[in-house]
Amino acid sequence: MASRATIIPELEKMSVEQLKSIKEQSDMEVNLLQDSLNNIRTATNRLDLASIALRDLSLRPQGKKMLVPLTASLYVPGTLDDAEKVLVDVGTGYFIEKTMEEGKNYCERKINLLKSNYDQLLEVTSKKKHIADEAGIVLQAKMKQLASAS
Amino acid sequence: MAASSSSSRELQKELEAKANDLSKIQKDISKNHQVRKKYTIQLGENELVLKELDLLNEDANVYKLIGPVLVKQDLAEANANVRKRIEYISAELKRLDSTLQDLEEKQNSKKEAIFKLQQRIQAGKAKA
């Protein structure tokens, strides 16, 4: 708490110009950070869906009839082969064959990694947003001062 | 009078030239940042892949997507490829780092030169 309160006297010492540029810069940074936060949330959702699909797949018996998507609008009837093995996309074009258990594990691990990244990023974003807000407040106060002085 | 105004015109031209140089340096710096970002993302992705490969047993199957084809790869080969890629990207990043330092030094010295030039122009105007 103390560290947040001490930036206000720092901001007050600066001129209107500097305050304006600090506020603009902080606003831009906050926007970039918000974008990153959204990206992480989207990725986490996709992984969640994958994890749910895996769990569902593991419940299905071998030989079960299913419809296989070939394109977004074309499905072809097929039968479920071995659901014990899954191919996992690990990035940069590499796929690893894993057992159903390992696949579920992989999803869990990735989701946890993303969640911790999200939390860290959220902390940084809220600190930056605080600075931007404080700069805005001090800027407005200064401008009022100047307006009433002149 | 004529002499001082023509020399001030020269100074102005010099100022413009230096300002152009400065903006070119700044464009180079921002391009450097972009390439750096791309490489850093690739490096992170490759390190994730390496971690996954390390967790595998010897007999696990690894496939690589080459175009539309999934090709079975040897685990050792995949490991070697990913490691080599990580090395290459790290070397590129180091190179970009030193280029960035160069550019920033050039940017600072150009800014100084411009500032001094502006002072000279101001001094010239004050005398005339």
Side-chain angles (χ1 to χ4, degrees):
Chain A
M1 267 304 153
S3 60
R4 284 186 171 185
T6 50
I7 63 169
I8 300 189
E10 296 291 324
L11 291 173
E12 302 239 335
K13 285 192 213 143
M14 301 191 197
S15 70
V16 177
E17 306 291 318
Q18 285 174 307
L19 274 177
K20 261 199 212 149
S21 75
I22 286 196
K23 174 146 175 54
E24 275 178 19
Q25 212 190 353
S26 303
D27 279 341
M28 249 196 332
E29 285 174 3
V30 168
N31 277 338
L32 283 175
L33 291 172
Q34 300 273 31
D35 277 344
S36 302
L37 277 175
N38 279 338
N39 282 342
I40 296 188
R41 240 187 310 176
T42 315
T44 315
N45 282 338
R46 283 217 325 254
L47 273 176
D48 261 336
L49 285 177
S51 175
I52 292 176
L54 266 188
R55 246 174 277 155
D56 189 87
L57 199 57
S58 67
L59 298 173
R60 305 293 166 182
Q62 195 173 18
K64 177 125 175 83
K65 294 239 172 60
M66 58 186 282
L67 286 172
V68 181
L70 288 186
T71 70
S73 42
L74 178 60
Y75 286 72
V76 169
T79 46
L80 183 59
D81 190 15
D82 182 12
E84 193 44 39
K85 298 226 204 80
V86 287
L87 268 182
V88 181
D89 178 358
V90 292
T92 72
Y94 278 98
F95 289 72
I96 303 181
E97 198 178 61
K98 288 182 183 283
T99 64
M100 174 59 78
E101 194 53 44
E102 286 173 2
K104 286 189 201 164
N105 240 329
Y106 178 84
C107 282
E108 286 296 315
R109 259 183 299 141
K110 276 275 150 28
I111 291 179
N112 288 337
L113 180 65
L114 284 185
K115 281 209 178 120
S116 80
N117 282 350
Y118 184 83
D119 290 333
Q120 282 177 329
L121 200 57
L122 198 58
E123 249 195 74
V124 174
T125 311
S126 70
K127 281 202 195 125
K128 276 266 153 30
K129 186 148 186 352
H130 183 79
I131 295 182
D133 289 341
E134 295 291 339
I137 292 177
V138 177
L139 181 63
Q140 277 186 336
K142 279 232 160 138
M143 296 190 74
K144 253 199 229 155
Q145 257 183 358
L146 287 177
S148 60
S150 61
Chain B
M1 259 312 164
S4 69
S5 71
S6 74
S7 71
S8 85
R9 248 182 292 135
E10 275 179 22
L11 288 179
Q12 290 282 39
K13 267 198 251 167
E14 229 192 292
L15 191 64
E16 266 184 52
K18 286 224 179 346
N20 283 339
D21 286 344
L22 183 65
S23 87
K24 183 169 169 314
I25 295 181
Q26 286 173 328
K27 274 200 212 123
D28 285 341
I29 289 185
S30 86
K31 237 195 324 176
N32 186 299
H33 279 310
Q34 274 182 323
V35 181
R36 232 160 165 265
K37 213 163 55 152
K38 201 174 65 136
Y39 275 137
T40 313
I41 294 179
Q42 284 183 352
L43 185 66
E45 210 185 335
N46 275 293
E47 291 193 337
L48 277 182
V49 177
L50 192 63
K51 254 196 254 167
E52 286 300 322
L53 290 179
D54 280 340
L55 289 175
L56 293 178
N57 295 325
E58 282 284 328
D59 57 355
N61 292 326
V62 178
Y63 300 83
K64 184 159 166 65
L65 190 67
I66 303 184
V69 180
L70 257 187
V71 179
K72 188 151 159 51
Q73 276 228 319
D74 181 36
L75 180 58
E77 206 183 317
N79 254 316
N81 278 339
V82 177
R83 271 181 226 274
K84 242 189 279 172
R85 188 124 177 84
I86 289 182
E87 266 181 47
Y88 171 74
I89 297 181
S90 308
E92 282 294 307
L93 274 180
K94 258 202 227 136
R95 202 175 54 87
L96 281 175
D97 269 344
S98 69
T99 314
L100 186 66
Q101 245 186 343
D102 261 356
L103 285 175
E104 284 188 342
E105 272 173 37
K106 278 205 202 126
Q107 183 193 51
N108 286 339
S109 64
K110 269 278 174 275
K111 276 191 187 160
E112 259 178 63
I114 288 185
F115 186 59
K116 290 209 188 108
L117 206 52
Q118 284 176 327
Q119 281 184 325
R120 275 173 65 192
I121 294 185
Q122 292 289 44
K125 284 201 187 137
K127 270 196 236 149

